[in-house]
Amino acid sequence: MNLIFGLLGGLALFVFGMRTMSQGFAAAAGPDMRRIIATSTRGRITGVVLGSLSGFLVQSSASVVLFVGFINAGLMSLGQSIAPMLGANVGTTLSLQLISFNLSDYCLLAVFAGFVLNVAVKKPFVRNGGLALLGFGILFLGMTIMSDSVRPHRDLFAPWLSHVDGSTLSGLVAGTMAAALITGVVQSSGAVIGMGFALVSAGAITSFEGIFPIIIGANIGTCVTGLLASVGTTISARRIAVAHLLFNVISTGLAMAAAPLFYRFIPLTSGDIIHQAANANTIKMAISALCFLPFASLYAKLVAFLTPSNMPEPTPSFLDPALSDRPEQAIFACFRELRRTAQLCAESLRLAAPEFLKHDPKLARTIKTNEESINAVKDAMGDYVVGLTRHYLSRRQVVLIEHIERCMSDLERIGDHIANLVDRSERQRTLPAARFGAAETEDWLAVHGAVLALLTRVAESLNPETANFRDVAEDILDRRKTVTTIVQRVQQAHFERMENAAVTPVAGMLFNAYLASFARMTKHIKNIALTEQHPKFWLKPEKLARVMSDDAPGYALPGEIDPETYLKKLRTNPSE
């Protein structure tokens, strides 16, 4: 029992430590992580380098999940994602290089230091770095527990490990398949390789040939995370998950074919088996990535050919960095991006009705994925308009990009409320007393249809070629009054049903929550329409071709205020 508990508990600590370390690194990077991935689309070399950085920080499987989200949001194409995907696989091996060093004697010190930094320091970067250090210490603590548990019983593992020993062809194949299967279950190649390191430390594995199949098999199993994340996304987003799997399958197949070379030369890199394993993993991934990189475009076409689909390709983002010196064209692109986002919101709201009537995991996943895509587009829009402010802008353009930011924020909130509809539907299904009757269902669909029509009109209104935004906005506001009337009628009917005990209290509360979500959507739609009515909300077609490469004019920044002056005023006149 000590062996079983030690293995399971140590593995749990190892996995938890690795995830905590990755979360700490990712949080320390903050918004820079998204910018790293966005920048990785600029070229193959840049993609590999920045992809390696993302893989080092959050592991390759988590990086592929990020790529899936970016592609689904239209911010990255399949072709652009190949190079960073290759780099992410290399970066993951670099994090395992850290684990290969025998730092178990310092694991508790790392846990203590990381905890102190995370709890006692206020600076986010240091706190998140402390979280990463805490995870690093927990990781080694878990590996130490596994090694100590196995060491007294290492002879028990000999018969099992002999079947997965890479010194024979059958052992190489069996070991690779077993490692791939276990990794697919735990969804962490680092955890399986770490378990292998623990077996080496305990003396259960005594040669490089014994751990080699574990390394290459784990690289395949980790692809399960990306495949699961791609469920409910666009075909292009699913294809990067397939590309990740196919790359690792081919890479592992080549490594199996080249196993005699690995067995001959890898021991020359270090006298320690764990270091040998880490070196082999890095060399295998680096060589595979370099072999694939020149053919990245052809590889993307091959993946597309192997995964045919009748689904339309996602509309790519209109936020082209090359337009930064043409502000009017860039703002034109921002309008198109707003419209694309509004259309994505409308699609999610349309799917919410059939998902409400009958639970469909695929529809629910699509709505949630769309919401994540809208969040990613909002962040990308923020970076884009900040980049525009580095160039000379007219007063109208300065005000206009602020309006664009405001509209994007309203659309993002609409996406959140649509996702909340799915959450409420999931909760409702778990409560038998919350079931709706025909009257509630018909009223729900009536409000949903009215809000969907209004949101669709908003998407149409954000066409940058609209001649008069004020007239279109007035039409939206008039339609909103109609929606408000429908909501009020439905709400009055619902109150009457509650007074007559025609619905249960739980169902009544949930129905009111649904109505509140719809009401908040219409409020954000109203905000967008009011913004469209602003006198500065228009474009100048004659400026679309004008280049403005000059730097933004210098602004006289105000001096720092004295907080005590205002605090004293608040204490003296608290009502002001």
Side-chain angles (χ1 to χ4, degrees):
M1 295 300 292
N2 289 336
L3 171 63
I4 295 174
F5 290 153
L7 268 178
L8 295 179
L11 179 61
L13 285 174
F14 187 94
V15 174
F16 177 74
M18 176 162 287
R19 292 182 177 177
T20 302
M21 182 178 69
S22 297
Q23 290 171 359
F25 280 137
D32 292 333
M33 177 59 68
R34 180 175 49 79
R35 297 189 185 101
I36 286 171
I37 296 176
T39 307
S40 68
T41 63
R42 296 181 180 177
R44 293 181 182 178
I45 301 300
T46 302
V48 169
V49 173
L50 296 182
S52 297
L53 180 59
S54 70
F56 174 75
L57 294 176
V58 299
Q59 304 297 299
S60 64
S61 56
S63 294
V64 171
V65 172
L66 294 174
F67 299 154
V68 167
F70 267 62
I71 295 174
N72 195 67
L75 300 173
M76 177 186 286
S77 67
L78 175 63
Q80 291 173 327
S81 65
I82 296 298
M85 179 273 291
L86 299 175
N89 281 277
V90 177
T92 299
T93 69
L94 300 180
S95 63
L96 291 173
Q97 288 282 358
L98 289 177
I99 301 174
S100 68
F101 290 94
N102 186 15
L103 302 177
S104 300
D105 293 338
Y106 308 99
C107 64
L108 294 178
L109 175 62
V111 168
F112 174 74
F115 174 79
V116 171
L117 290 175
N118 183 253
V119 173
V121 180
K122 294 183 178 180
K123 292 184 178 180
F125 180 80
V126 178
R127 290 184 62 188
N128 292 321
L131 183 65
L133 183 59
L134 174 63
F136 192 64
I138 293 174
L139 179 153
F140 274 103
L141 179 61
M143 194 161 69
T144 300
I145 292 174
M146 283 191 289
S147 298
D148 292 344
S149 300
V150 170
R151 189 171 288 110
H153 310 282
R154 56 180 177 268
D155 292 339
L156 296 176
F157 289 84
W160 297 92
L161 293 175
S162 64
H163 295 293
V164 297
D165 192 333
S167 58
T168 63
L169 179 60
S170 60
L172 179 62
V173 174
T176 301
M177 294 179 63
L181 180 62
I182 296 173
T183 306
V185 173
V186 301
Q187 295 186 38
S188 173
S189 60
V192 175
I193 294 175
M195 186 185 296
F197 288 175
L199 292 173
V200 172
S201 297
I205 296 178
T206 58
S207 66
F208 171 68
E209 290 85 346
I211 197 171
F212 183 68
I214 297 175
I215 298 170
I216 61 177
N219 295 151
I220 296 178
T222 194
C223 300
V224 171
T225 304
L227 292 170
L228 292 176
S230 68
V231 175
T233 61
T234 61
I235 181 60
S236 293
R238 294 206 296 271
R239 281 170 176 163
I240 184 58
V242 173
H244 184 226
L245 173 64
L246 185 59
F247 165 74
N248 279 284
V249 168
I250 294 175
S251 174
T252 297
L254 294 175
M256 294 175 68
L261 295 177
F262 277 93
Y263 297 159
R264 179 177 179 181
F265 293 106
I266 290 299
L268 301 178
T269 64
S270 175
D272 180 72
I273 297 177
I274 293 179
H275 280 303
Q276 292 174 10
N279 294 339
N281 195 28
T282 300
I283 291 171
K284 174 237 182 190
M285 279 300 184
I287 293 176
S288 299
L290 290 175
C291 291
F292 271 72
L293 187 60
F295 309 101
S297 298
L298 291 176
Y299 183 58
K301 293 179 180 178
L302 173 63
V303 172
F305 174 78
L306 295 176
T307 54
S309 174
N310 295 324
M311 292 178 60
E313 294 286 340
T315 304
S317 173
F318 297 104
L319 303 179
D320 185 357
L323 299 177
S324 61
D325 61 347
R326 293 174 172 82
E328 201 70 14
Q329 281 196 27
I331 293 173
F332 188 93
C334 288
F335 269 87
R336 300 180 73 186
E337 193 72 355
L338 281 177
R339 188 183 188 189
R340 187 174 77 92
T341 307
Q343 290 170 338
L344 192 58
C345 288
E347 178 197 359
S348 291
L349 186 56
R350 179 181 59 81
L351 296 177
E355 207 286 327
F356 163 75
L357 294 171
K358 182 179 180 181
H359 178 55
D360 186 332
K362 185 177 180 181
L363 290 182
R365 176 60 184 167
T366 299
I367 293 170
K368 292 296 184 69
T369 302
N370 284 349
E371 192 263 337
E372 294 170 0
S373 298
I374 293 167
N375 292 341
V377 173
K378 177 182 178 292
D379 291 337
M381 178 76 83
D383 291 341
Y384 192 74
V385 297
V386 167
L388 291 182
T389 62
R390 300 189 181 100
H391 297 268
Y392 176 81
L393 298 172
S394 68
R395 284 176 292 180
R396 176 188 58 84
Q397 290 170 338
V398 170
V399 174
L400 187 52
I401 61 175
E402 291 183 5
H403 289 326
I404 289 171
E405 267 276 87
R406 188 176 297 111
C407 289
M408 180 57 76
S409 295
D410 282 309
L411 289 173
E412 187 268 336
R413 293 298 296 139
I414 290 172
D416 291 341
H417 293 308
I418 296 171
N420 287 340
L421 295 178
V422 176
D423 292 336
R424 290 195 175 94
S425 295
E426 291 177 353
R427 183 189 176 197
Q428 185 178 8
R429 293 185 187 97
T430 64
L431 302 171
R435 186 181 301 122
F436 287 169
E440 292 81 27
T441 302
E442 290 174 2
D443 283 347
W444 191 100
L445 292 174
V447 175
H448 169 272
V451 176
L452 177 58
L454 188 62
L455 184 56
T456 303
R457 181 61 177 139
V458 169
E460 296 170 354
S461 74
L462 291 170
N463 184 348
E465 297 179 356
T466 298
N468 192 329
F469 285 101
R470 294 177 66 85
D471 291 344
V472 176
E474 192 65 36
D475 177 58
I476 293 174
L477 292 173
D478 288 340
R479 293 182 182 220
R480 178 184 174 272
K481 294 177 182 177
T482 303
V483 175
T484 302
T485 301
I486 295 173
V487 172
Q488 291 174 346
R489 174 183 61 78
V490 167
Q491 197 163 40
Q492 181 61 36
H494 176 61
F495 287 153
E496 292 176 0
R497 287 193 293 269
M498 292 191 66
E499 290 175 358
N500 296 325
V503 293
T504 65
V506 175
M509 288 188 292
L510 273 171
F511 193 85
N512 280 328
Y514 281 125
L515 290 182
S517 291
F518 286 125
R520 293 187 183 104
M521 291 181 212
T522 60
K523 179 181 177 181
H524 290 293
I525 290 173
K526 176 185 176 181
N527 292 342
I528 295 173
L530 292 176
T531 301
E532 289 178 316
Q533 285 189 323
H534 194 278
K536 301 292 185 183
F537 201 89
W538 56 284
L539 293 105
K540 285 187 177 180
E542 64 272 17
K543 279 191 173 184
L544 290 176
R546 185 175 299 179
V547 177
M548 295 287 189
S549 57
D550 297 333
D551 292 335
Y555 292 91
L557 297 178
E560 293 187 7
I561 65 169
D562 180 13
E564 286 301 323
T565 301
Y566 297 93
L567 290 173
K568 182 179 179 180
K569 184 178 180 181
L570 288 174
R571 288 191 292 267
T572 305
N573 302 299
S575 61
E576 294 186 3

